[in-house]
Amino acid sequence: MHVVEINRAIPKFVSRSNDEMSTTGTAEWRPADQHAIRVLDKHSLEPSSLTLYPYAVLRLTRNNLRDGYTQGQLCVVQHIPTEDEPSLHVFVSPFGNRAFHADLTTFDFAGNGWHVVTLHSSPGHVLGSKRGVSARRSQCPVKHYVAATIHKSMGETLSRIVTCISSTDKKYALWEDEQVYVLISRVRNLNHITFTGDTESSLQALKTVIMRCSQWSLYIEHFMHQIVSATERPINVEIPRHSVGYVYMIVSIKVANCSYVGKTANLRQRLREHNSGLGAHFTNVSERRPWGLYCFITGFNHEEERRNCERHWHSLMLSRYLSRNNQPTVHQNYHLGLTVLERLRETDGDAQMVVCGRMNLSPVSL
């Protein structure tokens, strides 16, 4: 903008605002004092001084559905105001568009859906202050389209980006590492991003925000740690439907080599009961929950066969381990189930074991 202002070869018009204040609500307006001007400079969308020149890229600051434009919509100056014609004529872009041609002097505005709108200097929104003073600014309802926030640019694919990142200046400070991802994903090539300011300061600001932990990043890290370091990982398998039911083995996600064998007619419901503290006494202990389904035997001919299968599995656990005050490992308990299955198949050839878990013997810390 400074280059435009000092270049005498560029025709330009400076539109200056008319700032007013009132202590009686919205009546008896008079010239604004310095306090009211500071309020307007801080909160008004329009600047106090607006330099206009042909093909300047602007953003509309008000809604006017009658003329077909809304606040934030992109526009380009067609004709600047003059003493004889104080109105501002602009090309208004189609709704939702925030991109424009590199050479606006040769761009076919009408052919690309842009339409011409005439703008006039008029009072904007009335602002209030803590002193009970109302203030308003009369200005052309536009401002220069010189910048967009990272959040505003989400979803856009831009040809070039010039930005500033700082860890000391609040205007250019980022507070989430996701903002860096949004920034770099707006262009097709990282060479199309230019960082202004000191290189070391920009790198330090990027490092600071990327290394910062938020409540969500800590939760995700905790969640991933639980998955990776769990003693058992689920395998996506289809549970076959069987009217007689199942004999299953579940393992503790928290406690290594802690398993339980039971029987049920509904695996999903029974697993929910174990994990909600409504299952067996052994599985209700909160330190052992949650539980994961490791394997199950199905294909029984009748209910008595299912009960005998569970009883045989329990008896092997007792005789080989529990009677010696030893808890079988998951793999040991699984192989006991295979032994039970082999005996079951002597009388029931339809019986099968389905494995739906995988042990993680080497927990990994993230």
Side-chain angles (χ1 to χ4, degrees):
M1 186 57 60
H2 178 66
V3 174
V4 174
E5 292 174 347
I6 64 176
N7 191 337
R8 296 183 179 182
I10 300 177
K12 63 185 73 68
F13 178 85
V14 179
S15 175
R16 304 193 185 280
S17 67
N18 179 29
D19 297 341
E20 298 174 300
M21 61 179 288
S22 174
T23 56
T24 58
T26 58
E28 301 180 7
W29 292 99
R30 64 177 187 272
D33 60 16
Q34 290 300 314
H35 172 76
I37 292 175
R38 285 195 296 270
V39 172
L40 289 168
D41 287 340
K42 183 177 181 180
H43 299 287
S44 179
L45 295 178
E46 299 85 9
S48 60
S49 178
L50 183 64
T51 302
L52 302 170
Y53 55 94
Y55 300 107
V57 181
L58 308 173
R59 178 183 291 175
L60 292 155
T61 58
R62 300 175 200 168
N63 297 318
N64 190 329
L65 298 180
R66 183 188 62 185
D67 290 337
Y69 65 83
T70 59
Q71 178 181 325
Q73 205 165 344
L74 194 66
C75 64
V76 174
V77 174
Q78 181 192 33
H79 300 299
I80 63 175
T82 63
E83 293 182 0
D84 297 331
E85 176 55 51
S87 301
L88 172 65
H89 301 272
V90 297
F91 296 104
V92 177
S93 74
F95 288 105
N97 175 58
R98 287 202 294 273
F100 49 89
H101 196 267
D103 186 5
L104 294 175
T105 61
T106 61
F107 182 64
D108 181 12
F109 289 97
N112 285 275
W114 296 57
H115 65 281
V116 178
V117 169
T118 301
L119 305 175
H120 308 275
S121 179
S122 59
H125 298 291
V126 176
L127 303 175
S129 69
K130 295 181 180 179
R131 302 191 308 174
V133 176
S134 300
R136 69 180 184 183
R137 169 167 288 171
S138 296
Q139 178 63 285
C140 288
V142 290
K143 64 179 181 179
H144 284 284
Y145 185 64
V146 296
T149 64
I150 288 178
H151 290 92
K152 188 73 173 180
S153 65
M154 288 183 65
E156 297 286 341
T157 299
L158 307 174
S159 58
R160 296 274 179 177
I161 290 179
V162 178
T163 186
C164 178
I165 295 181
S166 173
S167 57
T168 57
D169 190 340
K170 291 183 179 180
K171 291 189 298 184
Y172 306 110
L174 304 181
W175 58 90
E176 292 179 340
D177 55 356
E178 291 85 354
Q179 292 173 301
V180 178
Y181 171 76
V182 173
L183 172 64
I184 63 178
S185 60
R186 298 285 67 82
V187 293
R188 294 185 173 89
N189 191 310
L190 291 180
N191 291 329
H192 297 162
I193 301 180
T194 300
F195 292 95
T196 64
D198 181 67
T199 302
E200 291 299 324
S201 299
S202 298
L203 291 174
Q204 183 59 42
L206 284 170
K207 179 181 178 180
T208 299
V209 70
I210 291 174
M211 297 298 293
R212 184 177 298 148
C213 292
S214 67
Q215 57 175 333
W216 304 116
S217 61
L218 292 174
Y219 173 76
I220 292 173
E221 182 176 342
H222 169 75
F223 183 74
M224 293 302 297
H225 175 77
Q226 293 293 104
I227 294 177
V228 175
S229 62
T231 59
E232 189 260 356
R233 290 187 181 181
I235 300 175
N236 188 20
V237 298
E238 182 178 356
I239 298 178
R241 295 182 178 273
H242 202 278
S243 59
V244 179
Y246 315 87
V247 173
Y248 61 89
M249 184 181 85
I250 57 176
V251 298
S252 171
I253 302 298
K254 288 183 179 179
V255 182
N257 290 318
C258 180
S259 58
Y260 172 84
V261 173
K263 66 179 187 298
T264 183
N266 190 319
L267 271 175
R268 292 183 178 87
Q269 178 180 337
R270 190 56 176 161
L271 183 61
R272 283 195 296 267
E273 291 173 351
H274 284 302
N275 284 326
S276 60
L278 301 176
H281 177 73
F282 181 81
T283 64
N284 289 348
V285 180
S286 59
E287 288 77 10
R288 296 171 182 158
R289 287 186 276 153
W291 296 88
L293 183 62
Y294 188 79
C295 65
F296 59 88
I297 298 175
T298 188
F300 305 106
N301 290 323
H302 45 77
E303 175 66 25
E304 183 64 25
E305 195 173 57
R306 189 184 70 172
R307 283 197 296 266
N308 289 338
C309 176
E310 181 198 26
R311 191 179 298 115
H312 186 198
W313 201 334
H314 283 163
S315 65
L316 290 178
M317 292 171 59
L318 179 63
S319 62
R320 299 188 185 185
Y321 300 102
L322 299 180
S323 60
R324 306 171 187 175
N325 293 325
N326 292 326
Q327 179 75 21
T329 67
V330 171
H331 285 288
Q332 288 171 340
N333 212 357
Y334 166 68
H335 283 287
L336 292 180
L338 291 178
T339 301
V340 173
L341 179 64
E342 289 178 4
R343 180 174 176 180
L344 180 62
R345 280 180 171 173
E346 294 177 0
T347 58
D348 181 4
D350 295 331
Q352 60 175 316
M353 174 179 282
V354 178
V355 178
C356 44
R358 180 185 298 114
M359 296 309 299
N360 183 12
L361 299 179
S362 302
V364 179
S365 298
L366 292 178

